[in-house]
Amino acid sequence: MMDYVNAFWVGGLICALVQILMEKTKMMPGRIMVLLVVTGALLGSVGWYGAFQEFAGAGASVPLLGFGNVLMKGVKEAVDEQGLLGLFAGGFKAGAVGTAAALIFGYLASLVFKSKMKS
């Protein structure tokens, strides 16, 4: 039961902090999203993200912090296997499944709900 509680409050805290950034600063949403991805990558690179995810579960892995960590983990593995060229290929390989799923399901949702441009 505590896994659900921790995921809820940690994910909610992340969302609340992002909302505060959006309301109190002039940062655009795209820059805030990049900030979350980079923060996740930095936490992963220093080795703190694993403990954070162990504690928070889906509250840590679902937001964009998790995507940044996945990219960093892919880069680390690719650099270990391929050397310097892995720096360029690792992030693409690690993030490909999640990105493809988002594109495919977004497209299918647009077909089902007959989306259209705002006028």
Side-chain angles (χ1 to χ4, degrees):
M1 182 66 180
M2 281 308 291
D3 291 339
Y4 296 116
V5 172
N6 287 339
F8 179 77
W9 78 262
V10 171
L13 180 64
I14 293 169
C15 292
L17 291 173
V18 168
Q19 189 65 38
I20 290 169
L21 276 176
M22 290 175 67
E23 297 289 330
K24 299 295 182 186
T25 69
K26 294 183 180 188
M27 289 180 72
M28 301 298 290
R31 290 182 185 218
I32 294 172
M33 289 173 31
V34 169
L35 178 68
L36 287 171
V37 171
V38 169
T39 302
L42 288 174
L43 288 174
S45 68
V46 296
W48 296 347
Y49 196 85
F52 177 57
Q53 189 174 15
E54 180 79 25
F55 172 75
S61 62
V62 172
L64 288 171
L65 291 172
F67 185 66
N69 181 55
V70 166
L71 292 177
M72 181 55 69
K73 196 181 298 185
V75 168
K76 279 184 177 180
E77 290 172 5
V79 166
D80 290 342
E81 293 173 7
Q82 303 170 2
L84 187 60
L85 287 178
L87 183 67
F88 303 105
F92 289 116
K93 186 176 177 183
V97 172
T99 304
L103 290 171
I104 291 167
F105 289 123
Y107 177 71
L108 292 175
S110 74
L111 293 177
V112 170
F113 296 105
K114 296 181 176 63
S115 66
K116 57 187 171 207
M117 296 296 290
K118 288 183 179 181
S119 53

